[in-house]
Amino acid sequence: MTTERRRSNDMALRQRAKSVIPNGMYGHQNAAILPKNFPQFFSKGEGSHLWDVDGNEYIDYICAYGPIVLGYQHPAVDRAVAEVQDAGDCLNGPSEKMVELAELLVDITPWANWAWFAKNGTDATVYAASVARTATGKGTLLRAHGAYHGAAPTWITAGDMSQQADGTVEYEFNDLASVRTALDEANGDAAAIIVSAFRHDVGFDQEMPTVEFAQGVRDLCDANSIPLILDDVRGGFRLDLAGSWAPLGVDPDLSIYCKAIGNGQPISAVMGRESLAEAVAATFATGSYWFTGAPMAAAYTTITTLQETDGIARMERTGNALREGWQQAADAHGVGIRQTGPVSIPLMLFDGDDFSTRDVPRAYRFSAELADRGVYLHPVHNGFLSTALTDEDVAHTLEASDEAFAAVAAEFND
Amino acid sequence: MTTERRRSNDMALRQRAKSVIPNGMYGHQNAAILPKNFPQFFSKGEGSHLWDVDGNEYIDYICAYGPIVLGYQHPAVDRAVAEVQDAGDCLNGPSEKMVELAELLVDITPWANWAWFAKNGTDATVYAASVARTATGKGTLLRAHGAYHGAAPTWITAGDMSQQADGTVEYEFNDLASVRTALDEANGDAAAIIVSAFRHDVGFDQEMPTVEFAQGVRDLCDANSIPLILDDVRGGFRLDLAGSWAPLGVDPDLSIYCKAIGNGQPISAVMGRESLAEAVAATFATGSYWFTGAPMAAAYTTITTLQETDGIARMERTGNALREGWQQAADAHGVGIRQTGPVSIPLMLFDGDDFSTRDVPRAYRFSAELADRGVYLHPVHNGFLSTALTDEDVAHTLEASDEAFAAVAAEFND
């Protein structure tokens, strides 16, 4: 079932890139950490499929690492973007799209009174931390050990991501006692608790929060009069349109969106309660492109399309079909796997691989076999589903996966 | 010559915005700090003109605060953007546009060996600081007092921009002795000196660097084995395509671009020397949308269009015509003004106004009169010219300015 994969354009571009970009590439889309047959450079996306620069086609399960939630080249989103761009996208002030988007977000988020927009998730998490510091007059941020909240000095030491930033104290996700200890450690200087909507740390199985943990963190924030910041960059608009903790019945004070919010157009958001509006007004931040209209129009259309098409339920159905199909195939081949986290943000890890040391030969073999069969599934980063995935896509993927599990079993099983 | 200005749509949107955005607006495009007849919301831009949401038309001298350098809706840039968007903009990796843009930038920047892209200017200045810290193993950043290098905790205390960040030591622009003092103050921990291509601090006349200062800072960096970071966000691609210090004959080690680089499409860049490539590879940063193709295609086309049309010289001619015309009109009306900085990034301040305390009634009156005559010139922020400005635009602007100076003279002269 494998087709011949062309690689010459990708190889040529990698070579040219090495001359003008340090190491040839950087950041989370760096193909250097992927199996050798994964391309670095892409040329096209349409619906649930994308194409690399050599014309190889893939059913896509990472969706540009999250942003693509309705599929590539979604007609309604692209029309909304083109309409703004045909009039003027980057002007001396925002367009009415900014107000329309803020109204929509406040409307679908029962606990929140306002929205605030930037470009990157990191802009938004850093800003939320600054707002919390302004509001409380305190300095220390409580964050989970190993959690990723963005690539900025507020959260990480850029040269060594295992080192966390000054001004932060760590707790363990889903461990309320550790949050209490962290509060003690902050010694009266706690400014906020930031928590990911679910645990998606590099190197570990994903983990959903327990209601007890979520409610406990909420209660600790109330008892200490500090804001609870929900980092919903990863989960937002894939789990629940009212925010990923809405199903738990626990509301934050500030919440952060990026990725799926605009189907690939560059926009992030902070939402918050009225009680923090004054701190926002007193906390300066800005960016050259933060007020452009096209991403705001894209976000408005992305969210209303998800509403109108029941997109969250659709992704959940697709995710369940994949999860069940993968489990059956793995069992049939005697390959031990663990599937964790939300079904629409799937992570499959292999028993016997050691993700914490990046010694993951089974995951690499599996995803390399899939890539050769026109399926793009990242070996160690969680996947992202889109509403564009079809039953045919899932059927092809499971067929390819059966052969990939067979290859893993042949190489690694006794 | 004033025309009736409609305001009802803008007023209605401001009212709606107050309900869903803290204070109704934030950041550098907040119209609250502008004369009352300036609009907050815009609907259209074309060439050198833009329109607010009430259909009022303006000749534009701020260009979205810098990004628009070829005029709004530039056909070649918009074609390049549409071509990428019609295939796929936000994918699982960059497109070949990234390599083409990096090659072009390295080609036009004699001292630099590589380019690195992000979204905002702040992303790029913060990253350059992190790279310098990685490269040197030191922590302290030397920066000019009052200089703006972005809205991030690395540079400012967000709640109070007059307070600068921990880990920084201040010197005075164009004062080499103060840089030496700052180096002493850093006490062996200096990681980098960052300097704006020219002084454009809020509240002051602009100031070009002297060759002695630029060369002196360069020599001090060499003597201390630390990188010189040129923050060229404001000046880049308006003063010299090889960087704003190229005319001085002084080369930095890292240089930061944003604003004019992509004619309004969201992209920023760090460029650097080979000696720092290893530190880049060791310094992690990333963003969800950093690798999208459309902004890279826009930047490539913006720069090559500036090359092919001699755009820098064109903006300089327009800037000189405005500067001379404004001076003559001010003199004729007995109004004292000071025009400072590059002619393509003009700042006009009025004798008698006190910009440092924001007590600037003459500037407000002048810009309000211009706005009523269809000319958008910010009262206290430097302007930005585009290559789209025509002789007719300049003639209309000078005609309107004559009346505006008359109004200032009538109100403020004895």
Side-chain angles (χ1 to χ4, degrees), chain A residues 37-258:
Chain A
N37 64 338
F38 273 61
Q40 177 65 77
F41 294 94
F42 292 84
S43 64
K44 184 181 157 188
E46 201 178 315
S48 57
H49 289 226
L50 89 169
W51 287 260
D52 65 28
V53 284
D54 287 290
N56 302 307
E57 181 176 352
Y58 305 86
I59 301 170
D60 182 31
Y61 290 101
I62 193 144
C63 291
Y65 292 77
I68 304 299
V69 67
L70 299 172
Y72 298 98
Q73 305 299 323
H74 187 267
V77 176
D78 286 4
R79 260 197 313 277
V81 167
E83 200 180 285
V84 171
Q85 288 181 337
D86 288 348
D89 175 31
C90 182
L91 303 166
N92 292 2
S95 79
E96 62 181 348
K97 301 295 175 191
M98 185 184 191
V99 180
E100 289 171 2
L101 176 59
E103 287 173 341
L104 173 65
L105 285 169
V106 168
D107 186 53
I108 65 174
T109 313
W111 60 268
N113 305 96
W114 52 261
W116 177 102
F117 305 107
K119 277 278 154 274
N120 302 312
T122 300
D123 298 336
T125 59
V126 169
Y127 187 68
S130 293
V131 167
R133 284 168 166 162
T134 300
T136 59
K138 309 286 172 75
T140 303
L141 304 167
L142 274 64
R143 43 87 47 89
H145 177 73
Y148 181 71
H149 295 298
T154 297
W155 303 117
I156 61 171
T157 300
D160 177 2
M161 282 186 64
S162 65
Q163 246 189 291
Q164 293 182 341
D166 289 350
T168 65
V169 166
E170 298 181 8
Y171 63 85
E172 298 293 330
F173 191 85
N174 262 346
D175 177 354
L176 204 54
S178 74
V179 182
R180 282 193 206 97
T181 306
L183 274 168
D184 290 344
E185 207 182 320
N187 198 18
D189 188 50
I193 299 177
I194 188 169
V195 59
S196 300
F198 62 95
R199 189 182 183 211
H200 45 72
D201 308 349
V202 173
F204 297 90
D205 293 296
Q206 298 191 119
E207 191 177 332
M208 300 306 287
T210 65
V211 176
E212 294 67 34
F213 175 71
Q215 188 59 54
V217 171
R218 172 72 273 172
D219 294 343
L220 285 172
C221 283
D222 291 340
N224 289 272
S225 301
I226 58 175
L228 174 59
I229 307 173
L230 184 68
D231 182 342
D232 210 1
V233 168
R234 197 75 61 110
F237 304 103
R238 273 197 173 82
L239 304 192
D240 192 301
L241 293 183
S244 298
W245 275 20
L248 304 179
V250 178
D251 297 329
D253 301 299
L254 292 165
S255 126
I256 319 293
Y257 291 116
C258 186

Side-chain angles (χ1 to χ4, degrees), chain B residues 126-346:
Chain B
V126 168
Y127 186 69
S130 293
V131 167
R133 284 168 166 161
T134 301
T136 59
K138 308 285 171 77
T140 304
L141 304 168
L142 274 64
R143 41 90 44 92
H145 177 73
Y148 181 71
H149 295 299
T154 298
W155 304 115
I156 61 170
T157 299
D160 177 3
M161 281 185 64
S162 65
Q163 248 190 290
Q164 293 183 340
D166 290 349
T168 64
V169 166
E170 298 182 8
Y171 63 85
E172 298 292 331
F173 191 85
N174 262 348
D175 177 353
L176 203 53
S178 74
V179 182
R180 283 193 205 96
T181 306
L183 274 168
D184 290 343
E185 207 182 321
N187 198 19
D189 188 51
I193 299 177
I194 187 168
V195 60
S196 300
F198 61 97
R199 189 183 181 210
H200 46 72
D201 306 350
V202 174
F204 296 90
D205 293 296
Q206 299 192 117
E207 192 177 331
M208 301 303 288
T210 65
V211 176
E212 294 67 34
F213 174 71
Q215 188 60 54
V217 171
R218 172 74 274 171
D219 293 343
L220 286 172
C221 283
D222 291 340
N224 290 273
S225 301
I226 58 175
L228 174 59
I229 307 173
L230 184 68
D231 182 342
D232 210 1
V233 168
R234 197 75 61 109
F237 303 103
R238 273 197 173 81
L239 304 192
D240 193 299
L241 293 183
S244 298
W245 276 21
L248 304 179
V250 177
D251 297 330
D253 301 298
L254 293 165
S255 122
I256 318 293
Y257 291 116
C258 185
K259 292 197 180 284
I261 190 172
N263 207 50
Q265 278 286 312
I267 179 165
S268 62
V270 180
M271 297 195 64
R273 290 183 193 274
E274 186 57 36
S275 56
L276 290 163
E278 207 178 306
V280 169
T283 305
F284 183 81
T286 198
S288 289
Y289 314 111
W290 284 12
F291 308 105
T292 60
M296 293 174 182
Y300 185 92
T301 306
T302 299
I303 296 165
T304 51
T305 302
L306 284 169
Q307 285 178 316
E308 289 158 11
T309 60
D310 209 0
I312 303 270
R314 184 179 173 82
M315 287 186 278
E316 202 175 325
R317 279 197 302 278
T318 306
N320 280 321
L322 283 166
R323 187 160 292 191
E324 285 162 25
W326 276 328
Q327 194 59 57
Q328 283 171 17
D331 291 347
H333 290 285
V335 174
I337 60 167
R338 306 183 307 279
Q339 299 190 73
T340 52
V343 295
S344 57
I345 306 178

Side-chain angles (χ1 to χ4, degrees), chain A residues 16 26 28 60 64 92 117 286, chain B residues 26 28 64 92 103 117 286:
Chain A
R16 284 167 59 190
Y26 55 92
H28 67 292
D60 182 31
N92 292 2
F117 305 107
T286 198
Chain B
Y26 55 92
H28 68 291
N92 291 2
E103 287 173 341
F117 306 108
T286 198

Side-chain angles (χ1 to χ4, degrees), chain A residues 254-317:
Chain A
L254 292 165
S255 126
I256 319 293
Y257 291 116
C258 186
K259 291 196 181 284
I261 190 172
N263 208 50
Q265 278 285 312
I267 180 166
S268 62
V270 180
M271 297 195 64
R273 291 184 193 273
E274 186 58 36
S275 56
L276 290 163
E278 207 178 304
V280 169
T283 304
F284 183 81
T286 198
S288 288
Y289 315 110
W290 284 12
F291 309 105
T292 60
M296 293 174 182
Y300 185 92
T301 306
T302 299
I303 296 166
T304 51
T305 302
L306 285 169
Q307 286 178 315
E308 289 157 12
T309 59
D310 210 359
I312 303 270
R314 183 179 173 81
M315 286 186 279
E316 202 175 325
R317 278 197 303 278

Side-chain angles (χ1 to χ4, degrees), chain B residues 340-356:
Chain B
T340 52
V343 295
S344 57
I345 306 178
L347 180 67
M348 182 201 302
L349 297 178
F350 287 78
D351 294 344
D353 279 2
D354 184 356
F355 192 7
S356 67

Side-chain angles (χ1 to χ4, degrees), chain A residues 96 99, chain B residues 4-17 36-42 52-56 58:
Chain A
E96 62 181 348
V99 180
Chain B
E4 206 199 327
R5 298 271 131 186
R6 293 164 298 276
R7 303 195 62 200
S8 55
N9 291 345
D10 196 63
M11 289 294 109
L13 280 170
R14 287 188 195 218
Q15 206 54 46
R16 283 168 60 190
K36 293 294 170 220
N37 65 339
F38 273 61
Q40 176 65 77
F41 293 94
F42 291 84
D52 64 29
V53 283
D54 288 289
N56 301 307
Y58 305 85

